[in-house]
DNA sequence: CTGTTAGCGCATTCAG
DNA sequence: CTGAATGCGCTAACAG
């Protein structure tokens, strides 16, 4: 603290420009490099990031905007984003938008204050109005328009896969349960894929789509199963919903595995070292994070990028589906 | 982007100093304030954070170092830290140290590059060697030395409370199960409090302390219950451990509530809107986060602070203890 | 109360 | 390849 390039230059007997060039890996003669390195070490010099940012207009920082980090899917995703960014020498600003468009907007303003070089966003509001084409932005799980690059898991394929796995395990009557949001949402593709498989293979199915936000899961779920009495396979839009469905069905004396099989979506784990909580379609969160980081850094560097990346999902059997 | 204070000053017909003073809420005459505000709006001016940081030596950023955000306790805590920081106009750098002292050290170096004003750390390695007294640092859940301020829940009181609640519910033979770490750890106070209550009230108890890191929970737990056959109340060092214990006991044909009551620690929820997963001693994470933010900002401002804050815990009955 | 000015620490010309 | 000089956008001290 307090020691600047000038001090280093003085001690090494060179100009400040030379020190700067060293720091930035620009060609420097070996002999002078030695001297400068020694001086840096002796003085314990640390380049000042603010000064550098002021000059270069780069802060080496990416903002991650998500609804809330307090959710296993997002926290796992954030973990991988930070990990990937860190490898590239970038830092991560964490932004909990809480579904509040104003908060999202506020964070986007930060980019203009040159605090961040780009934004990775998982957002369900109309953020695209604010992201101009010259602002590096990568959307996760949500397709805005051709101008906005996005990364997503193969939701449609995942829905199909869930139906197929249930079918393969002898289920005769399938059910889809999910929420439905006012904002267009890639997750509806999970239902589409599921239904497409059922139609294609002439499998009977029913769907329950609960309007979000959902305050009470139990009531609509029970009401639904009052209508649909016969069923032996359920696919839920995500793992959280699946757990709610299991709980609701238990009060109706229906036990998973004995009375029905169940597949969730996301592949949520409470912690990295623990198991999946149920059979589920796993999103490749680490790969999605890596892809998002890759894209955003390319954008920051001014390179052209593909405008969407769709990654494959996998099925993992973990306690709520039978062995095949 | 591109529009600076100079442009604003020119349009408003004032000096740059006046614009700066306005931005920083220093006394300005109402009439000139009007003009400047109009110019700011018209030009869509955003002050450049890097330039400001360069001058003031303040980045309005705090780093949160934790083992991994991919853990419900930490992600909930991080959520509240970000929320609290955001209210104070501060940004949050997220750092997953992964228990790697080198990574922790690297992040601490950032402070010297004047990228962050202070650090809030949940760390179980010997980070105190690096945090000099002039570096604003607040430790969570871990007491280093007199020089390091820390915030923690009342672990000892929580342990006592768990024993008391089990006692109150008629348990005769209690058991404590937790891990034990090579680094001294505030969590051992949970066991201490628990045991203190038992001794004080002449209640029989046994303890199992498994060396960390724990790869396999089931084996030591089963071995332990082979020895300790009679028990009707269990207190676990945290909720994760409690869930593992429940699973292990199920394979021994012991069912919670029927054969024993169980209390965890932390008050973990998977998401903010969901319920606790079991009866547990709840840490006041929001209050802890607020206290940590309060302390760190005081330190950044150069104010003196208390050197520790211990917050009370509460018991919540949620499915693994009987009604009293 | 306000305009002017001098740096903050660095990257980047431009000469040499 | 290197040293000197310029300015990034802003704040703070100074003089009015």
């Amino acid at each position: 603290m307090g020691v600047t390039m000038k001090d280093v230059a003085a001690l090494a007997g060179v100009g400040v420009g030379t020190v700067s060039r060293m720091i930035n890996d620009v060609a420097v003669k070996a002999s002078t490099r030695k001297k400068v390195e020694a001086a840096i070490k002796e003085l314990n010099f640390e380049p000042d990031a603010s000064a550098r940012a002021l000059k270069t207009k780069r802060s080496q920082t990416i903002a991650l905007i998500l609804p809330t980090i307090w959710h296993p899917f997002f926290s796992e995703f954030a973990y991988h984003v930070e990990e990937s960014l860190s490898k590239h020498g970038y830092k991560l600003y964490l932004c909990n938008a809480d579904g509040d468009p104003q908060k999202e907007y506020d964070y986007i303003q930060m980019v203009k204050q040159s605090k961040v070089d780009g934004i990775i966003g998982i957002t369900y509001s109309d953020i695209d109005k604010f992201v101009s084409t010259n602002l590096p932005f990568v959307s996760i799980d949500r397709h805005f328009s051709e101008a906005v690059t996005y990364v997503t898991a193969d939701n449609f394929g995942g829905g199909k896969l869930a139906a197929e796995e249930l079918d393969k395990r002898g289920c005769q009557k399938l059910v889809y349960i999910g929420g439905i949001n006012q904002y267009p949402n890639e997750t509806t593709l999970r239902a589409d894929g599921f239904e497409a498989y059922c139609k294609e293979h002439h499998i009977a199915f029913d769907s329950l789509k609960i309007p979000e936000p959902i305050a009470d899961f139990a009531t609509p779920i029970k009401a639904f199963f009052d209508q649909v009495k016969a069923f032996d396979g359920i696919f839920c839009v995500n793992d959280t919903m699946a757990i709610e469905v299991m709980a609701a069905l238990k009060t109706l004396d229906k036990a998973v595995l004995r009375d029905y099989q169940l597949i969730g979506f996301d592949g949520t784990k409470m912690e990295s070292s623990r198991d999946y909580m149920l059979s589920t379609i796993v999103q490749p969160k680490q790969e999605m994070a890596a892809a998002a980081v890759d894209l955003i850094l390319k954008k920051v560097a001014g390179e052209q990028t593909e405008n969407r990346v769709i990654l494959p999902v996998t099925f993992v059997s973990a306690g709520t589906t039978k062995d095949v």
Side-chain angles (χ1 to χ4, degrees), chain A residues 284-312:
Chain A
K285 302 170 210 76
Q286 182 162 17
E287 289 75 15
M288 289 166 70
V293 167
D294 189 55
L295 286 169
I296 201 73
L297 294 187
K298 275 186 183 157
K299 283 175 185 295
V300 169
E303 295 170 32
Q304 204 63 36
T305 68
E306 52 271 57
N307 54 31
R308 62 178 202 178
V309 172
I310 299 180
L311 294 165

Side-chain angles (χ1 to χ4, degrees), chain A residues 65-75 94-99 122:
Chain A
I65 298 180
L66 33 73
T68 166
I69 189 73
W70 187 5
H71 184 293
F73 181 82
F74 298 135
S75 72
L94 177 65
C95 319
N96 290 115
D98 270 319
I122 305 181

Side-chain angles (χ1 to χ4, degrees), chain A residues 222-283:
Chain A
K222 285 187 197 172
F224 176 75
F225 283 115
D226 267 353
Q227 307 290 318
V228 182
K229 296 202 190 296
F231 66 92
D232 52 8
I234 302 177
F235 169 52
C236 288
V237 67
N238 57 42
D239 293 338
T240 299
M241 179 68 84
I243 288 171
E244 295 288 351
V245 167
M246 259 194 284
L249 283 174
K250 190 178 274 181
T251 69
L252 266 39
D253 277 325
K254 296 281 192 181
V256 69
L257 231 40
R258 187 193 66 191
D259 302 314
Y260 66 97
Q261 297 182 62
L262 175 67
I263 295 178
F265 203 108
D266 279 352
T268 304
K269 293 179 182 185
M270 284 205 31
E271 304 171 24
S272 59
S273 57
R274 310 220 34 234
D275 295 324
Y276 292 111
M277 298 175 297
L278 39 58
S279 298
T280 186
I281 305 294
V282 179
Q283 295 201 52

Side-chain angles (χ1 to χ4, degrees), chain A residues 182-202:
Chain A
Q182 58 168 315
Y183 297 110
N185 195 309
E186 295 284 301
T187 62
T188 58
L189 292 174
R190 325 236 263 223
D192 296 345
F194 182 80
E195 292 169 1
Y197 182 94
C198 291
K199 284 177 187 156
E200 195 179 325
H201 294 261
H202 308 292

Side-chain angles (χ1 to χ4, degrees), chain A residues 10 22 89 96 106 111 124 138 144 293:
Chain A
M22 255 222 43
N96 290 115
D106 290 346
V111 84
Y124 302 117
V138 171
F144 288 96
V293 167

Side-chain angles (χ1 to χ4, degrees), chain A residues 1 3 5 20 42 51-52 56 64 67 87 109 143 262-263 315:
Chain A
M1 201 70 158
V3 31
M5 273 182 29
S20 172
E42 178 166 344
R52 175 180 292 184
T56 61
L64 175 64
K87 282 181 188 152
Q109 289 310 104
H143 179 34
L262 175 67
I263 295 178
F315 170 71

Side-chain angles (χ1 to χ4, degrees), chain A residues 199-230:
Chain A
K199 284 177 187 156
E200 195 179 325
H201 294 261
H202 308 292
I203 299 172
F205 72 91
D206 264 300
S207 296
L208 168 63
K209 293 171 187 178
I210 312 171
E212 299 178 353
I214 306 171
D216 168 32
F217 288 89
T219 308
I221 292 172
K222 285 187 197 172
F224 176 75
F225 283 115
D226 267 353
Q227 307 290 318
V228 182
K229 296 202 190 296

